[in-house]
Amino acid sequence: MAVTIIFLGPLRDLAGTESREVPGPLDWAGLLDHVGEAVAEQLTEARINVACGGKVLSDKTQLSAQDGEEVALLPPVSGG
């Protein structure tokens, strides 16, 4: 099994893909290693949120994704 990382909005453009499967379990350091330098740099900014298993994490550095879970990288929302 694996953890699926889902890239949304401009993070998808930076990653060059909509999603990526990586070996689980996955923690914060592992996430930064698997997403590439450009995306990892964005993830360190407070305005980017991380969801695991459909729930937005209050502290993304506490990520603990298990096999079969999805981790969504959420850029800030804009619009009207």
Side-chain angles (χ1 to χ4, degrees), residues 2-8 11-12 15-36 39-40 43 49-53 63 65-66 68-74:
V3 173
T4 302
I5 302 171
I6 300 171
F7 302 91
L8 298 172
L11 298 175
R12 178 178 40 226
T17 185
E18 291 184 11
S19 65
R20 180 175 297 150
E21 288 196 2
V22 299
L26 183 68
D27 62 8
W28 176 248
L31 176 64
L32 295 178
D33 287 343
H34 285 292
V35 297
V39 175
L43 288 178
N49 289 307
V50 174
C52 181
L63 174 67
Q66 303 305 310
E69 288 190 302
E70 290 183 343
V71 174
L73 309 182
L74 310 166

Side-chain angles (χ1 to χ4, degrees), residues 43-79:
L43 288 178
T44 62
E45 295 186 19
R47 61 189 184 87
I48 305 294
N49 289 307
V50 174
C52 181
K55 296 181 181 179
V56 177
L57 303 175
S58 59
D59 180 355
K60 60 188 170 189
T61 65
Q62 296 302 308
L63 174 67
S64 179
Q66 303 305 310
D67 284 336
E69 288 190 302
E70 290 183 343
V71 174
L73 309 182
L74 310 166
V77 178
S78 64

